[in-house]
Amino acid sequence: MKDWLFPSFAFIIFLYGMSFVIYVYSNYSPNIGIFSHSTKDVKYNDISSFLRDVSESFK
């Protein structure tokens, strides 16, 4: 009994944790910016323009 009790308990905790992460991500992700002190709000259509702007912000 001891061989399956701890893995089962750990898996249940893992499932609850993942469901919490998915819940938080689905409800709060549109309101969370990448940079919290950003002065401009930009919508990116492709990853290359996003990466270019990020690299320019670190220069």
Side-chain angles (χ1 to χ4, degrees):
M1 180 172 162
K2 194 189 295 186
D3 294 336
W4 61 269
L5 186 63
F6 180 74
S8 299
F9 187 65
F11 184 68
I12 290 171
I13 291 175
F14 172 75
L15 288 180
Y16 276 118
M18 290 304 294
S19 63
F20 176 74
V21 167
I22 290 170
Y23 171 76
V24 168
Y25 182 75
S26 65
N27 286 333
Y28 299 110
S29 64
N31 299 328
I32 298 173
I34 294 174
F35 300 107
S36 62
H37 301 291
S38 178
T39 57
K40 63 180 182 177
D41 187 24
V42 179
K43 300 290 183 194
Y44 293 102
N45 292 330
D46 57 12
I47 191 70
S48 61
S49 62
F50 171 74
L51 291 175
R52 183 180 60 244
D53 284 349
V54 169
S55 65
E56 288 175 1
S57 70
F58 285 110
K59 289 182 181 179

